[in-house]
Amino acid sequence: MYQPLADKIRPQTLDDVVGQTELLRPNGVLRRIVESGQIPNMIFYGPSGVGKTTVASIIAKQTERKLYRLNATTAAIADIRRIIDELDTFLAPNGALVYLDEIQYFNKKQQQSLLEFIEDGRMTLIASTTENPYFYVYNAVLSRCTVFEFKPVEPEEMRRAVSRAFSLALEGRTVTLDEGVVDAISTGCGGDVRKALNAVELLAASAAENGTIALDDALEVSQRSNMRYDRDGDSHYDILSALQKSVRGSDPDAALHYLARLLEAGDMISAARRMLVIASEDVGLAYPQAASIVKACIDSAFQLGMPEARIPLAQAIILMATAPKSNSAIRGIDAAMADVRHGNCGDIPANLKDCHYTGAKKLGRGLTYQFPHDFPGHWVEQQYLPDALMGHTYYEYGENKNEQAARAYWEKIKGR
């Protein structure tokens, strides 16, 4: 019977697991928990192919518990109940360890139904998810579990698995590897061990006896595998967050990198929307022309389409990353909206109220309003904020050249 290479090479001990060194190193917290034998209910969170299922299997083996594997896309609470029924039989004398893959596919009622099974200690739950558990797992379950984050395997660690896989896949055969094949797979599969091992298996199966596994073939089978992207998941928001923070931090190289990841994933719309936000939120009044320039670049990009669209988008992102920065606009509006949300408003001064209707003067509307354009410097002192907010300051001038010039101008006009 055919057995995938990834299953043949699956680690049997924690020492054999590649990656996850923070969790599984000799003094790592997860290793200490496993070695204690006192296994709590846990949630393994991380991308596919990084060892979540493997570690759960090793935990079951080391603690001598029977492992039941369920997938939330097909399982139901009835499957959990059948497992509980077995606990009083000789089939699971030390209790059960239930590995529930993709728990995010259980709805709220199904997730909450798990509580009755995990609270009495007869069943230990290890749930796994590729989505952020703090968004997709309900609080009642989350509060009874310890969350461990599994991360993509670094290329240095991946090389161990790839080299071992080639040794096993090519055992007894005379096949040579071009220089760089192992490195190409180790770096080209985005930290996903399963993808890397599948690539090894494919290359080994297609290699002729006394032949060579070419570097170009290795690059082809692993191409684009390093792109972890889901428009509705963590990757989407993580990349957008990294893009904005790179621009805010004035690092054009990092900003271009994250823009490239979005474009390679075919998500130009999200990149464009976030760039429009950045122009006003992070560049802002330090270089207000950036908003119109970025808008023009984005319009050009959508008229051009890919691949040419990358050029005006790169122009816009570099412009913002190297421009002076100010967040005075967002700070000002957020402070004003906070007052409004808390009901700190007050009545609009009568001189500012609409007076373009019959009877407005009888109500005292606009009687004392002074038209600023009739005065020197187009300014006259009068009350604009409601009485309840007199003296409130929402906008603080930034330290950049533009805002300081505006500040100096108005201080001169207002005679301060």
Side-chain angles (χ1 to χ4, degrees):
M1 181 178 177
Y2 167 72
Q3 182 182 15
L5 180 61
D7 283 342
K8 292 180 183 177
I9 203 173
R10 190 179 295 278
Q12 300 301 311
T13 68
L14 294 179
D15 290 328
D16 295 332
V17 176
V18 295
Q20 315 313 328
T21 52
E22 290 186 12
L23 297 176
L24 302 178
R25 67 180 188 273
N27 200 37
V29 60
L30 183 54
R31 179 182 282 264
R32 295 202 310 269
I33 288 173
V34 175
E35 291 174 347
S36 74
Q38 303 298 314
I39 310 300
N41 298 300
M42 297 183 284
I43 295 174
F44 290 172
Y45 157 51
S48 301
V50 296
K52 302 188 297 294
T53 303
T54 296
V55 171
S57 299
I58 294 172
I59 290 174
K61 180 180 178 182
Q62 289 196 199
T63 58
E64 297 182 341
R65 301 186 188 193
K66 182 168 182 179
L67 177 66
Y68 296 85
R69 292 180 57 177
L70 300 175
N71 191 298
T73 59
T74 56
I77 292 302
D79 297 307
I80 304 289
R81 294 187 186 278
R82 279 194 291 271
I83 293 171
I84 295 300
D85 290 340
E86 286 189 12
L87 294 182
D88 296 326
T89 71
F90 66 91
L91 294 175
N94 295 319
L97 191 154
V98 176
Y99 181 71
L100 179 61
D101 200 11
E102 305 292 357
I103 189 177
Q104 73 270 16
Y105 289 108
F106 263 14
N107 59 35
K108 184 175 183 180
K109 183 178 180 181
Q110 287 174 309
Q111 288 192 28
Q112 290 180 331
S113 296
L114 293 171
L115 299 179
E116 64 176 288
F117 304 123
I118 64 178
E119 288 192 323
D120 65 4
R122 290 189 300 162
M123 182 189 92
T124 300
L125 174 70
I126 297 182
S128 75
T129 176
T130 55
E131 306 291 348
N132 193 324
Y134 295 99
F135 296 156
Y136 290 92
V137 179
Y138 290 93
N139 285 334
V141 176
L142 200 59
S143 66
R144 291 164 173 83
C145 297
T146 303
V147 177
F148 292 99
E149 182 177 3
F150 284 61
K151 298 180 179 179
V153 177
E154 295 295 330
E156 298 77 24
E157 284 286 305
M158 186 74 78
R159 288 186 186 94
R160 286 173 47 204
V162 172
S163 297
R164 183 171 169 232
F166 268 122
S167 297
L168 182 61
L170 298 174
E171 188 174 13
R173 298 174 60 195
T174 306
V175 177
T176 58
L177 306 181
D178 272 356
E179 184 176 353
V181 166
V182 172
D183 285 345
I185 297 173
S186 299
T187 58
C189 289
D192 186 327
V193 179
R194 189 181 298 111
K195 281 184 179 179
L197 298 185
N198 289 342
V200 170
E201 186 171 25
L202 180 62
L203 290 169
S206 62
E209 188 66 28
N210 298 315
T212 299
I213 293 178
L215 177 58
D216 287 345
D217 290 341
L219 291 171
E220 184 176 350
V221 298
S222 58
Q223 65 182 345
R224 296 181 67 87
S225 291
N226 59 342
M227 289 296 298
R228 291 190 179 275
Y229 191 75
D230 180 351
R231 294 192 187 197
D232 297 320
D234 284 353
S235 295
H236 171 79
Y237 297 105
D238 286 346
I239 294 175
L240 289 174
S241 175
L243 174 71
Q244 182 162 5
K245 289 171 181 173
S246 297
V247 174
R248 183 183 298 152
S250 303
D251 189 331
D253 298 310
L256 283 170
H257 170 76
Y258 294 114
L259 174 62
R261 288 172 71 159
L262 289 165
L263 296 182
E264 280 296 306
D267 196 1
M268 189 166 74
I269 292 177
S270 293
R273 291 182 69 251
R274 184 56 64 100
M275 289 166 66
L276 290 171
V277 171
I278 295 170
S280 294
E281 180 178 346
D282 294 302
V283 178
L285 293 166
Y287 185 39
Q289 300 94 323
S292 57
I293 296 173
V294 170
K295 177 63 165 59
C297 288
I298 288 172
D299 288 345
S300 296
F302 281 104
Q303 286 181 346
L304 291 168
M306 287 294 285
E308 289 84 358
R310 75 191 190 285
I311 304 170
L313 293 178
Q315 177 184 345
I317 210 73
I318 294 170
L319 173 79
M320 292 192 291
T322 57
K325 305 295 189 296
S326 172
N327 68 339
S328 57
I330 187 174
R331 287 168 62 89
I333 187 61
D334 283 354
M337 290 181 72
D339 267 353
V340 172
R341 287 193 195 101
H342 289 90
N344 194 10
C345 296
D347 193 29
I348 297 172
N351 63 314
L352 301 184
K353 291 183 177 180
D354 180 27
C355 60
H356 296 90
Y357 58 91
T358 303
K361 290 185 178 180
K362 292 180 181 180
L363 295 174
R365 304 291 197 258
L367 295 179
T368 61
Y369 176 67
Q370 300 180 78
F371 193 57
H373 296 301
D374 291 339
F375 294 85
H378 301 264
W379 179 81
V380 62
E381 187 167 3
Q382 62 185 324
Q383 180 178 341
Y384 292 98
L385 277 170
D387 290 341
L389 295 174
M390 283 295 291
H392 271 52
T393 300
Y394 296 118
Y395 171 64
E396 299 283 354
Y397 287 98
E399 297 178 356
N400 58 82
K401 182 180 178 180
N402 277 338
E403 290 182 87
Q404 286 302 308
R407 179 178 186 171
Y409 172 82
W410 284 111
E411 285 183 348
K412 180 179 178 181
I413 293 294
K414 295 178 181 180
R416 295 176 182 170

